Amino acid sequence: MKKLMILGAGIYQVPLIQKAKEMGLYTIAVSIPGPYPGFACADEVCYLDTRNQEAVLTAAKEKQISGICTSGTDVAVRTIGFVCDALHLPGISREAAVTVTDKWYMKEAFAKGGVSTARFCKVSSLSEALLAASDIGYPICLKAVDKSGSRGIRKVCTPSEMETAWNLCMAVTDCDYLLVEEYLQAEEIGVDGFVQNHKLTLCIPHQKFVYRAGAVCIPGGHSFPYQGSSELLSNIRHQIELAIDAVGIDHCPFNADLFVRENRVWIIEIGGRSGATCIPELMSIHCGFDYYEKMILSALGESPSFDSPASNPCMAKLLFCEKGGLLSRIQPAPLKQLEAEGVQYHLDYSIGSHLPSVKNGTDRIGHVIAATDQESEIDRYLGLLKQSLILEP
């Protein structure tokens, strides 16, 4: 029996573990101890930090794994590249993994590869940030280079706002530098797909929903398909191909963030793993095949086929809690209504748990997924999920 090592045991890794088991694979979940739902799904658990490359490699050798992968998180990508290189497994390389998990390295690669992207500058002090912002022109985005889910990202409109933004971004990063980036007035979209044998084999743009938590914009969901002109869609594909070549990712899914305006395209970032926020589920509905299965086949070196994907409309949105609180009861009636309407839903917390107040994308408390092209419908479903939760005052 082939063994698949999956890094992470959280909400976004559970479907990957479950699909691997359905495919007859022996699953090994790797994560630090904690209340992670993936532990109950996997055949075996290794209680390790997924960022500890040497420890994960040692475990991978001992278990004689056939493949290694993750979904929905950047945290484990460098370790995947390290293990793939060391054990000659199919998947992202160590060099590419380092490039796509540091926004500075990534942007440098974009610049060298001729990728259309926002102007940027690496800064190591508040004074450097002020100089870079003055040169690029306000407003700018100040970014932690090693975080995702909108953590460590602040829009700065004037020099007087820079110090506060600097302190907030430096408080979350593990690096000693940040990125100052041009703020583009354009529509932000996402693109997910696959790279196999240095070729773009699947490229699916999608609309992004944004949840605003104070001054922070958080990824709140997605809508498929993305409606754009043939020229824009062609430009998106071309820039994705340039970005893939620039950062060197191969034998893996990818997730990218782009800005578009009219028919112009700017690549903001690209990652060597599937997107979060229900993207694999949406890709499965939209394309008409199981996206998790494709990810697993790729990790095992079996080059999945993407011939003639469908184009089914679908949407997903995350549920957040503005004030937080103790979850005292879950009402079954709204959930039964969701089930009756064929809506996929998930609640991340059980009765007695304290729900976090929303600050970034990791503070989600649930989601809904549906085959619909009407945002009003997905909002109604999200409202039903919210109605099921009773918090203590």
Side-chain angles (χ1 to χ4, degrees):
M1 179 182 290
K2 290 184 177 181
K3 296 180 179 180
L4 182 68
M5 179 172 276
I6 296 170
L7 300 193
I11 294 161
Y12 292 129
Q13 291 82 50
V14 167
L16 191 62
I17 297 169
Q18 292 173 334
K19 176 50 63 174
K21 287 174 68 70
E22 288 177 20
M23 295 169 66
L25 302 172
Y26 184 85
T27 56
I28 304 166
V30 179
S31 174
I32 58 173
Y36 300 114
F39 291 153
C41 304
D43 294 299
E44 186 177 346
V45 176
C46 291
Y47 293 104
L48 299 170
D49 188 330
T50 59
R51 297 169 297 181
N52 189 332
Q53 299 178 8
E54 292 290 352
V56 174
L57 175 60
T58 297
K61 289 178 178 178
E62 291 176 351
K63 309 300 180 184
Q64 297 183 317
I65 67 170
S66 301
I68 183 170
C69 60
T70 191
S71 61
T73 177
D74 281 330
V75 172
V77 171
R78 290 195 182 194
T79 299
I80 290 174
F82 182 79
V83 172
C84 285
D85 277 11
L87 300 185
H88 306 289
L89 295 173
I92 191 170
S93 70
R94 181 183 183 184
E95 181 179 2
V98 170
T99 301
V100 297
T101 52
D102 185 301
K103 292 178 176 65
W104 162 243
Y105 295 150
M106 187 190 307
K107 298 285 278 193
E108 282 283 274
F110 285 173
K112 292 177 183 176
V115 180
S116 174
T117 193
R119 289 181 294 161
F120 64 95
C121 184
K122 175 186 176 184
V123 293
S124 299
S125 67
L126 175 59
S127 59
E128 287 184 5
L130 287 165
L131 286 172
S134 178
D135 181 58
I136 290 174
Y138 290 95
I140 58 91
C141 283
L142 189 65
K143 294 184 174 183
V145 299
D146 57 341
K147 302 299 176 185
S148 58
S150 295
R151 288 173 293 169
I153 296 180
R154 290 292 185 275
K155 180 182 178 182
V156 182
C157 296
T158 64
S160 63
E161 298 174 5
M162 184 66 80
E163 184 173 2
T164 297
W166 176 269
N167 291 334
L168 289 169
C169 292
M170 287 302 296
V172 302
T173 183
D174 296 319
C175 298
D176 60 0
Y177 53 90
L178 300 175
L179 194 71
V180 171
E181 186 177 83
E182 176 187 10
Y183 183 86
L184 294 171
Q185 297 286 351
E187 178 190 5
E188 183 178 356
I189 69 168
V191 179
D192 274 75
F194 254 86
V195 189
Q196 295 288 331
N197 299 315
H198 305 287
K199 292 183 179 180
L200 179 60
T201 53
L202 185 69
C203 181
I204 308 292
H206 45 85
Q207 181 184 348
K208 299 180 75 170
F209 295 130
V210 174
Y211 182 92
R212 298 187 183 277
V216 180
C217 293
I218 299 170
H222 305 272
S223 172
F224 290 67
Y226 177 72
Q227 303 295 336
S229 68
S230 58
E231 182 180 353
L232 175 58
L233 294 176
S234 177
N235 288 344
I236 288 171
R237 185 178 182 92
H238 176 61
Q239 289 300 325
I240 289 290
E241 288 175 331
L242 289 177
I244 286 168
D245 288 341
V247 300
I249 56 175
D250 197 12
H251 299 293
C252 64
F254 72 86
N255 169 257
D257 294 324
L258 289 69
F259 279 116
V260 298
R261 185 170 64 233
E262 296 177 348
N263 289 320
R264 290 194 63 186
V265 177
W266 296 265
I267 306 284
I268 301 305
E269 57 185 75
I270 190 167
R273 45 82 177 173
S274 66
T277 325
C278 310
I279 284 178
E281 288 81 3
L282 290 168
M283 290 285 283
S284 298
I285 296 170
H286 178 67
C287 295
F289 49 67
D290 194 305
Y291 200 59
Y292 287 109
E293 181 179 353
K294 302 295 187 181
M295 291 160 59
I296 292 165
L297 290 173
S298 178
L300 296 174
E302 298 183 24
S303 296
S305 170
F306 299 101
D307 294 337
S308 303
S311 185
N312 303 313
C314 52
M315 296 182 181
K317 281 194 175 183
L318 300 187
L319 182 62
F320 297 100
C321 187
E322 292 186 5
K323 296 182 179 179
L326 184 68
L327 180 57
S328 61
R329 188 158 56 94
I330 298 177
Q331 298 189 103
L335 302 183
K336 289 180 179 179
Q337 186 172 342
L338 289 173
E339 293 167 4
E341 297 192 43
V343 177
Q344 299 180 46
Y345 70 86
H346 189 273
L347 289 172
D348 303 347
Y349 293 87
S350 56
I351 294 171
S353 301
H354 188 276
L355 305 187
S357 59
V358 57
K359 298 178 290 298
N360 57 60
T362 65
D363 294 321
R364 51 161 285 165
I365 61 173
H367 69 240
V368 291
I369 305 168
T372 179
D373 59 0
Q374 299 296 316
E375 188 175 0
S376 60
E377 281 293 281
I378 203 73
D379 286 339
R380 182 172 66 85
Y381 299 145
L382 196 67
L384 285 170
L385 187 64
K386 186 175 182 179
Q387 286 175 27
S388 74
L389 306 179
I390 305 299
L391 305 185
E392 285 191 358

